[in-house]
Structures are given as C-alpha cells and as structure tokens.
Amino acid sequence: MKLKNIYKFLFVLLFIYGCSKDDIFEADPDSTVIENFFQSQEDFTLAIRGAYNRMKSVGYYGGSGASGDLIVVGDLLSDNLITNPDGRGSNLQSHNWLYNDNTIPTAIYSQAYVAISRANIILEKIDNLDDGAFKNRIRAEALALRATLHFDVARFFSQIPTQSSGASSSIGIAYLETFNPLAEPSRLSSVQEVYEKINADLDTAASLIGPDITEIGRFNLNTIRGLISRVALYEGDYQRVIDAATPVVDGVNPASASELSSLWTSTSSPGVLFELPFIVSDPLLDTNFSQGSGTSIIAEWSVDKAFYDLYDQANETERIAAYFQILNNWIVVNKYINGNLQTGLNNGRYLRVEEVILNLAEAHYLKSNSDEAKALETLDKLRNVRYSSFITGGETSNDLFDAIMLERRKELAFESSDRWFTLKRLQNVPGIPAQYKEGVKRSGNGYLADGTGTVPSNLNLPAGDFRWQLPIQQTYIDENPNLEQNPDY
C-alpha cells in the first residue's frame, strides 16, 4: 500500500531494520510483536536497547563511507576538514554548501525519527510495568532519548535560539510525543516550543533516573545532566548550564593525556558519559574519514593545516597522536582508525565529560554576572590533563573566551559536529569577540599536509545565511504535505 506521509514511512522502517540480536525490532514485521511483547522487564530492556541501537545507523554512527555521520558532517561543513581529491568525493557537495532538498549532508533526520518512534512505543506501553525503580529508569531513558533525538534534528534543521534575534520565534521541527503511524505531523510554529518540550522531557527524566545507575551504554543521571547543559548552552540559559553541569564536572574526571590512546581505540572509556558500543559485525566508523588500513589508507578528508597547527606540538603530544597521523602527505583523522577489536571499529562517543567542562566554563564566562575566575578554573580542569607542562595562562576578558573556544575546537573535533554548531549558535551571542559571529571562514589552505594542493571551491559561509538550516528531503515532504520546507530551498 502506498505510504501517505513521512510518519508512515518511518513506521515501516521501524519494523524492517533491526540493529542486533538483542533488538526487539528485528521481529517479523507481520507479527504481533507490539501487542504481545511489552510484558516483562526483559522485554522493556530489549526495547530500550533497540531504541539506542537505532543511533548506530547511517546518519548517526553508521560508518557507511558516505561521510554523513555525526562524527564528521559538522567538521566538513565548517573549517576543520578539506576534501581530498585522491578520495571518492564523499559528501563533496555538502563541503561546498551546495546541498538542496534532494542532496542533503546527513540522514540524521530520518534516523532520528525512527528512534523517536521506538522511544514513543516504550512510553506508550510503560504502564505494563509495575511501579518502581525499574519502571522509572525505562521511562527516564525513553524520555531523555526522545528529547536528545529531537534536539539533534532541531539543531541541524532549525535555527538555534542564540543564532539570531528572531531564532526563538522561527519555525521549529515536528515533536512527536505519541506513536501514531497514521499521523501527518506538522512542524511546531517556533523553536522556543521545541526547546520547551526538550527541556520538559529531560527534566522529567532527571527526576526519575536515580543516582545509582552508572552504565555508559545507556543514559544515566550524569548523561542527562550533561545533555541538559548542552541544550541550555544553545538556549543561552547559562545558569541552567551551571546547575546541570557542576555535579557532573565535580564527579567525573576527564580522560588523562595518557588515557587518550586507549580511549580512541575503545579499549577503555575514561570520561565518557554515553557511548554506543560497537561489535565486530558493526560498521567501521573510520570510513567516514578514510578507506583502507595501515600505510594503504586513502583519506576522504584531510585535516586543514591551519587547524592542526593550533595544537601545541611540544606539550600535547598524546592528544595529537590520538587525533591525527601524517600519512602520504595528508594530515589524517586518527580517532577511529585503530580499533581495539579490529581496524576502524570504535565506539560512538556521543557525550564526554570534557564537553560538559567546556559548557560549564563558557556558561560562567557568559552569564549576566560573568565569573571569569570560575570560568578559568573550570577550563583549567581540562587543560591540566591535556598539556605536559601546563601553567595556567590566567587569561581574562576576550583572551579567556578565546582560550575556551580554542579548547572546545581542539578537544571535540571529529566526534559530535560541535564545530558547526558552535559557529552556528554564537552568531547572536552578546559580549564575545566579533570573529565568532562571522560564520565559517576557511583558511584557504589546500588538502596536503603543508597546506598546498587543491583548495575548497567555497571558503566562506556568512552568518545568517539560509544554509545554516539544512533542507528537509523533498521525498519526506511529498509523503507528508504538512511538513514545511526551510526558507529559500
């Protein structure tokens, strides 16, 4: 039967594509799995794992080689990466901001809504469980996951609240709170409404999850607080960032410099607040950046020499070695190449305490009664474990903000699209240096390690350009006429 709208399309995807043997949704799509399954604690445990596992699909952490996953797309859209003409040209149009409603940079839109549907089914059936800690945990996870998935869609496809003076009143995204395969959801009329729903789900989740859960392959209290700090930073609600981030930063240590190598081979997970564990049969995350192994690697993307040169070659050797390698006259992204189980097989690190530290430092700096001393102290919690001969710079004013932004760019590169979102969200933030409000301004370097070679066709994406909001794929709009395309596409 012909599908009528995007939600029906997602309903079919929900049942067709399973993720692992512990995923309920591998079941026969013609079976009565929904009605007969949600009866026991084991059933709900399998179901919530299935919801998380959807994030291991192309568009989140799929490793398809299309360079459209969360770990790469924000870096290629901004100024950390340069396409390598010796590669296959994966996502080249997006690198030059030539995407449109038929060619989009990432499949995160569809993948997120499939996972949202899974979370909503769990919430619909949650009262099949007896009241108590287990029920509270499952409900908390489903709510927090639903909020997180919507947030990822919103920050790609709508404006970020701090992006412009009219961002909060600009068009939002569809926020799905029930499982209804016959629905034709419309986008919410404002970004503010979307963030209100995200925050409501996260706050309820935080109140339910309980403090004793520490598993990092599923959401725990530290995860949810870290997510709250991320969302609040995008809203410019700096006190909320501080309230959420402080207990996480006080309670979880960042990875030491000596631990970075094992972290980025997935041998261990110091500082990780939430990760997607991968097994031998799962996709290889390094294929977002390069193909092959050993000395035969062909880089799809080269790191811009101007970015690489921001790292202190003498005092942060462990971070440089974990993040990069020089190969065939390219600066290659190394984070995902040397997997513990096999080459290229690494866990997807969706949230680390290092990001929460940086959120907290920025919030202390930007809050209305700026606390530069606290911002510096927080920043130094990260700098103390990244530099071998670290002595605090004692920065103040614009120099302090520059230092926070430098560490953010260096620490979070190639894992969360943070660079793109940082350049997007800072465009209308008051009290910061003008350079952070200019959009993307690439260096003009070529793709080779010395900065020579072919230069990207387009070097600048100014603040306020319509392309900061990605287009919704036209096929989704054709299926659901209630979906509205972003302006100017």
Side-chain angles (χ1 to χ4, degrees):
M1 180 172 61
K2 183 178 179 181
L3 299 177
K4 298 295 185 182
N5 53 63
I6 181 63
Y7 207 176
K8 293 178 187 176
F9 172 66
L10 297 175
F11 175 74
V12 172
L13 288 179
L14 172 67
F15 288 97
I16 292 177
Y17 295 104
C19 297
S20 73
K21 64 182 179 182
D22 64 354
D23 183 347
I24 173 182
F25 299 102
E26 281 188 330
D28 180 353
D30 294 324
S31 74
T32 55
V33 60
I34 295 300
E35 293 303 321
N36 294 341
F37 189 84
F38 291 91
Q39 305 300 322
S40 68
Q41 290 189 3
E42 181 182 7
D43 292 347
F44 279 88
T45 299
L46 293 175
I48 197 67
R49 286 177 178 169
Y52 288 123
N53 279 347
R54 193 64 207 181
M55 295 177 73
K56 292 161 71 172
S57 301
V58 175
Y60 268 104
Y61 296 89
S64 69
S67 299
D69 290 350
L70 191 64
I71 62 174
V72 64
V73 70
D75 294 272
L76 68 87
L77 288 173
S78 54
D79 53 1
N80 286 346
L81 295 174
I82 300 173
T83 188
N84 186 340
D86 294 318
R88 297 174 305 167
S90 300
N91 225 351
L92 176 59
Q93 285 184 285
S94 298
H95 184 53
N96 289 308
W97 308 301
L98 299 176
Y99 37 82
N100 54 49
D101 55 9
N102 290 312
T103 304
I104 58 176
T106 175
I108 199 168
Y109 187 93
S110 60
Q111 304 296 4
Y113 280 112
V114 173
I116 288 165
S117 296
R118 294 183 173 191
N120 281 334
I121 292 174
I122 293 168
L123 292 167
E124 181 180 290
K125 302 295 182 181
I126 196 71
D127 286 333
N128 289 352
L129 290 171
D130 293 333
D131 291 343
F134 181 85
K135 179 179 180 179
N136 288 342
R137 178 185 183 182
I138 295 295
R139 184 172 178 231
E141 288 181 272
L143 286 169
L145 184 57
R146 182 172 76 183
T148 300
L149 296 162
H150 280 108
F151 175 69
D152 282 342
V153 174
R155 58 182 178 161
F156 270 118
F157 293 90
S158 289
Q159 290 197 48
I160 291 172
T162 58
Q163 183 181 345
S164 71
S165 58
S168 291
S169 59
S170 65
I171 189 169
I173 61 166
Y175 203 96
L176 308 184
E177 297 175 282
T178 59
F179 178 72
N180 180 2
L182 300 179
E184 294 183 336
S186 301
R187 300 176 68 172
L188 294 181
S189 60
S190 72
V191 166
Q192 180 177 345
E193 292 177 84
V194 175
Y195 277 73
E196 287 173 354
K197 289 182 178 293
I198 290 169
N199 284 322
D201 278 350
L202 288 174
D203 287 344
T204 301
S207 71
L208 292 171
I209 192 67
D212 299 327
I213 298 165
T214 58
E215 182 181 349
I216 61 171
R218 294 166 63 178
F219 287 179
N220 57 50
L221 183 57
N222 281 332
T223 312
I224 296 170
R225 285 172 169 167
L227 292 169
I228 291 172
S229 79
R230 178 188 279 180
V231 174
L233 190 67
Y234 283 52
E235 292 182 283
D237 189 344
Y238 302 119
Q239 189 57 53
R240 182 170 166 85
V241 176
I242 292 167
D243 293 342
T246 298
V248 181
V249 172
D250 288 346
V252 181
N253 293 323
S256 67
S258 62
E259 292 174 314
L260 288 175
S261 176
S262 62
L263 171 66
W264 291 110
T265 59
S266 296
T267 303
S268 60
S269 300
V272 176
L273 301 179
F274 174 64
E275 69 180 13
L276 295 162
F278 281 76
I279 60 177
V280 173
S281 61
D282 284 317
L284 307 180
L285 295 186
D286 71 317
T287 59
N288 281 284
F289 300 94
S290 57
Q291 312 293 322
S293 61
T295 58
S296 299
I297 287 174
I298 303 295
E300 293 292 317
W301 299 95
S302 298
V303 177
D304 188 345
K305 181 181 184 296
F307 175 44
Y308 179 75
D309 286 346
L310 295 176
Y311 291 79
D312 187 329
Q313 300 296 315
N315 290 321
E316 52 180 318
T317 55
E318 292 94 343
R319 181 156 63 172
I320 293 170
Y323 284 27
F324 309 102
Q325 62 173 287
I326 309 296
L327 183 68
N328 299 329
N329 199 25
W330 310 314
I331 306 171
V332 178
V333 175
N334 193 47
K335 269 189 174 180
Y336 304 96
I337 289 177
N338 300 306
N340 180 42
L341 296 176
Q342 71 177 71
T343 301
L345 188 67
N346 300 83
N347 293 343
R349 272 53 187 264
Y350 184 82
L351 182 65
R352 295 191 291 130
V353 72
E354 287 84 349
E355 178 186 339
V356 183
I357 291 170
L358 293 163
N359 294 347
L360 182 58
E362 188 176 337
H364 279 304
Y365 181 91
L366 289 176
K367 68 177 185 175
S368 57
N369 53 335
S370 179
D371 190 341
E372 292 191 5
K374 198 67 176 176
L376 179 63
E377 177 188 343
T378 304
L379 176 64
D380 284 349
K381 288 187 176 185
L382 179 57
R383 296 199 293 189
N384 267 314
V385 296
R386 286 294 172 270
Y387 298 93
S388 57
S389 301
F390 177 73
I391 300 175
T392 184
E395 297 94 337
T396 61
S397 191
N398 286 351
D399 290 340
L400 177 55
F401 190 76
D402 287 342
I404 295 170
M405 289 298 105
L406 175 63
E407 288 307 313
R408 188 172 197 101
R409 186 179 180 187
K410 292 200 297 183
E411 181 67 22
L412 301 180
F414 323 124
E415 61 185 276
S416 62
S417 290
D418 187 80
R419 180 61 176 168
W420 172 254
F421 296 128
T422 297
L423 294 175
K424 182 175 179 177
R425 66 179 173 80
L426 291 178
Q427 292 177 20
N428 195 49
V429 171
I432 63 174
Q435 70 191 67
Y436 298 104
K437 302 182 179 186
E438 296 176 341
V440 179
K441 297 187 74 174
R442 291 174 174 158
S443 67
N445 283 334
Y447 71 102
L448 296 175
D450 62 359
T452 63
T454 305
V455 176
S457 299
N458 295 321
L459 297 178
N460 300 313
L461 183 68
D465 192 283
F466 73 95
R467 289 168 291 182
W468 286 98
Q469 290 66 251
L470 301 186
I472 297 174
Q473 193 165 314
Q474 185 59 43
T475 54
Y476 300 161
I477 296 175
D478 292 341
E479 294 287 352
N480 177 11
N482 289 331
L483 285 179
E484 181 180 342
Q485 183 59 273
N486 279 323
D488 297 316
Y489 285 107

